[in-house]
Amino acid sequence: MIASAETTLFVCVTCRTQAAEAAPPDEPRAGARLLAAIETVPAAQRAGVAVVGVECLSNCNRACTVAVTAPGKWTYVLGALDPDLHARDVLTFAQLHQRHDAGLPAWRERPEYIRKNTVARVPALSAPR
């Protein structure tokens, strides 16, 4: 199932992890570090995925947080991410989402950490009636 719509990966740049709360205020927040790590992946390996930093995804208890969405597809919220470990997992999941017509990648295809740290799955909006 190859989908043509680009998937958007929203990365909360204001997220802090509990360890980051003790970090000096001038150091980048964990969410900003996750965004930077994702952006270091070569563009060819991010094909089909638009990466966008956002101010808050309101999942502070399970920060770092991202959301993966596309028009007409399910949206996923993923949390408890480590910016030093999970950038590639997040990107892999976003690409699986992009390739599936409904944005529902098979559970077994998802990176293991993502399987265990999916916070929410939200149905696609249908056209107004």
Side-chain angles (χ1 to χ4, degrees), residues 31 50 56 119:
C56 183
V119 175

Side-chain angles (χ1 to χ4, degrees), residues 7-118:
T7 286
T8 301
L9 170 60
F10 292 109
V11 181
C12 178
V13 297
T14 55
C15 277
R16 297 178 189 254
T17 60
Q18 289 182 355
E21 290 173 2
D26 59 334
E27 287 188 16
R29 293 182 179 205
R33 290 184 15 244
L34 178 61
L35 176 63
I38 292 168
E39 289 176 335
T40 63
V41 175
Q45 294 176 25
R46 291 185 276 134
V49 177
V51 180
V52 179
V54 294
E55 288 297 315
C56 183
L57 290 173
S58 292
N59 189 40
C60 302
N61 290 336
R62 292 196 58 200
C64 291
T65 300
V66 302
V68 180
T69 191
K73 294 184 176 188
W74 284 74
T75 296
Y76 284 82
V77 178
L78 313 172
L81 301 166
D82 184 319
D84 299 319
L85 300 175
H86 301 124
R88 290 223 181 239
D89 286 345
V90 167
L91 189 53
T92 296
F93 179 78
Q95 290 171 323
L96 290 168
H97 180 274
Q98 190 276 331
R99 289 192 292 261
H100 193 279
D101 289 336
L104 293 167
W107 188 82
R108 290 185 186 270
E109 293 177 4
R110 301 173 195 173
E112 184 176 350
Y113 191 84
I114 300 303
R115 285 185 233 155
K116 296 178 181 181
N117 290 283
T118 298

